[in-house]
Amino acid sequence: MSLGLGNKKAADDSSNVTPPENEKQDFGGQGYYNGFTPDTERQGGPRKMSRIDKPLSRSISGSVGGRRRSGDESPDSADITIGKQLELETGNAIQYRTCSWQKTAALLFSEYICLAIMSFPYSYSILGLVPGIILTIVQAAFVLYTSLIVWEFCIRHPEVKDVCDVGQMLLWNKRWAWWFTGVMFLLNNTFIQGFHCLVGAKYLNTMTNGGLCTVGFSAIMAVISWICSMPRTFDALSKLATLSAFFTFISVLLAAIFAGIEDHPGGATPETSWPALGKPLVYIIPVAGTTFVDGMNAFLNISYTFIGQITLPSFIAEMKEPRDFPKALWAVTIAEIIVFSLVGGIIYGYTGTNYNTAPAFGSLGNELYLKVSFSFMIPTLIFLGVLYASVSARFVFFRIFAGTRHLSNHTVVGWASWAGILAILWVFAFIIAEVIPFFSYLLSLMSALFDSFFGWIYWGIAYIRMRRADYGPGFWKNRGWRGWCGIILNVFIIIFGFFNLVAGTYASVDAILVGYQVGGFGGPFSCQSNGL
């Protein structure tokens, strides 16, 4: 069965999902995908697209449709295809492979055009404006490249449902790799949920001037997010994603405009507010005396905002035509570079290093401007946590109910279990928000611990394993300059990922410890207001 990008025949069309026998490909054999790309190798003919390993299980493609495959079918069977998955879903009340590339783009925009944009002025204040913008562009390029690797991997292995399946297959189908990736996956997503509980409480404290205990505001945010997490398909969530991305764009645009037209900037505390620290100071390069810890945390804030590859296999697994995924990816990458650089640079230019806060709404000196721009962020404060909760719940739910009618039909057991899984996730998110009650350092810690693997290490390994499967152990020699460039770049990606893990975790933890020592933020489960 052909999954070619250039071939628009109905291979993935639910109306014609059973190809002629002679068109089927052997997923455990040669693994060619004719027409995958318009480009051809120098020798001519279609690009070779071998699997790196056997399918993960016999039943995973059938599980998508809530049905188990016959036990006498080979795990190498050619029916582990997107077309077969669509066929198995026919007639189900809940269908998963329903997303177009436009809906997937909406999900990506909601994931990337988010509150973390408002940490860029802080990062530029530490790194300097020029290095900050350069790192923004370079980071975007690396994320685009590794995201295309993720996509290629998912095209080769359409039975994978999430990054945990990918992790197991990358690490030679070892079961410990699935558990390791699964734990990291759930922790990453739950930390992000906790981050949104924290910032939701920050917003409510800002609007009410500390009208309720911060713990109470965090709990309210967790309950609202739990309710909004109930839709079970990304197709349903994509409509909310569009609104989230739109209002986030309005929020950061207003913040940048307000920073330019207001009389003076604000400040983090009464003691450091205008005009206590003089005129805003803007640095083109890092100021003398900037420490490694400060610089690393600033870079990790940028890195965190860009890196979202952890969700990409989940999104691709619910696309009708995964070959269209790069359209969504290019659209969001171009938007990221423009929005992140402009918003970060403009707000930093008007508030300076001395009046900068994270999130940057607190840098605005006019209280009305601050509250108006922050209020447009409400949809993303809720939705992005909801998106990651849904990804995690789907991961757990699919493993519990694979091959049962509860997966793809409206049953009491299915819906009660879905709600229960989400409730557990949001309880843990609430606890994280109360134990680590700070903004920029939480971003840095998450980036160091999880993005090192899901943004860098895994995808360097994926490239090497795919090219080895296609061209043999010495693929970098066999492919000429392209092979050498590819191996050098991806070995660098792996090494840089481990550097981020070690150095980034050290810098984040050190900054957190210093913050507690100087009383820079309230303690765990504190009622102290964290409003801007």
Side-chain angles (χ1 to χ4, degrees), residues 86-271:
L86 288 168
E87 181 184 23
L88 288 168
E89 286 195 330
T90 302
N92 288 344
I94 301 174
Q95 298 184 4
Y96 292 96
R97 274 205 182 270
T98 53
C99 273
S100 63
W101 77 264
Q102 293 92 340
K103 291 179 179 179
T104 304
L107 293 169
L108 290 176
F109 270 98
S110 70
E111 180 181 3
Y112 290 111
I113 308 299
C114 63
L115 177 66
I117 297 173
M118 299 307 284
S119 70
F120 273 68
Y122 156 78
S123 295
Y124 291 176
S125 73
I126 302 297
L127 299 170
L129 187 59
V130 172
I133 292 177
I134 291 173
L135 283 174
T136 298
I137 297 171
V138 170
Q139 181 69 74
F142 270 107
V143 171
L144 174 64
Y145 174 73
T146 52
S147 296
L148 290 171
I149 292 176
V150 179
W151 166 68
E152 182 183 336
F153 188 93
C154 293
I155 289 289
R156 291 172 185 248
H157 307 92
E159 79 276 16
V160 299
K161 293 300 296 174
D162 48 51
V163 77
C164 304
D165 289 342
V166 175
Q168 177 178 340
M169 191 168 282
L170 284 180
L171 300 178
W172 297 274
N173 254 338
K174 301 297 183 183
R175 195 58 181 168
W176 65 261
W178 186 89
W179 284 104
F180 172 75
T181 308
V183 170
M184 295 262 291
F185 176 72
L186 290 175
L187 283 174
N188 176 81
N189 295 351
T190 308
F191 263 73
I192 292 175
Q193 292 173 242
F195 171 72
H196 282 264
C197 287
L198 167 67
V199 183
K202 186 182 287 288
Y203 169 77
L204 293 172
N205 268 319
T206 301
M207 294 299 111
T208 64
N209 297 317
L212 184 68
C213 174
T214 296
V215 176
F217 278 143
S218 292
I220 290 171
M221 192 67 184
V223 171
I224 293 173
S225 298
W226 172 71
I227 294 171
C228 293
S229 303
M230 289 301 171
R232 277 169 56 177
T233 67
F234 288 133
D235 182 68
L237 287 176
S238 66
K239 300 173 180 64
L240 297 175
T242 303
L243 289 175
S244 172
F246 173 74
F247 280 105
T248 300
F249 175 73
I250 296 299
S251 175
V252 298
L253 181 64
L254 285 176
I257 293 172
F258 290 157
I261 66 175
E262 67 180 0
D263 295 332
H264 58 77
T269 65
E271 294 76 21

Side-chain angles (χ1 to χ4, degrees), residues 378-430:
I378 292 175
T380 198
L381 292 181
I382 298 172
F383 179 78
L384 193 53
V386 164
L387 180 63
Y388 278 91
S390 181
V391 169
S392 293
R394 182 175 274 92
F395 164 71
V396 177
F397 189 80
F398 278 21
R399 267 65 190 182
I400 295 174
F401 293 108
T404 73
R405 65 190 183 91
H406 305 298
L407 187 71
S408 52
N409 291 281
H410 298 292
T411 66
V412 173
V413 172
W415 277 106
S417 300
W418 178 259
I421 293 167
L422 286 169
I424 293 170
L425 291 172
W426 281 110
V427 167
F428 278 109
F430 165 74

Side-chain angles (χ1 to χ4, degrees), residues 418-463:
W418 178 259
I421 293 167
L422 286 169
I424 293 170
L425 291 172
W426 281 110
V427 167
F428 278 109
F430 165 74
I431 293 171
I432 290 171
E434 295 309 307
V435 172
I436 313 178
F438 27 81
F439 181 87
S440 61
Y441 296 148
L442 181 54
L443 290 183
S444 299
L445 183 61
M446 288 190 294
S447 182
L449 289 176
F450 307 121
D451 290 349
S452 301
F453 291 96
F454 297 128
W456 300 92
I457 297 170
Y458 273 13
W459 314 125
I461 295 173
Y463 171 87

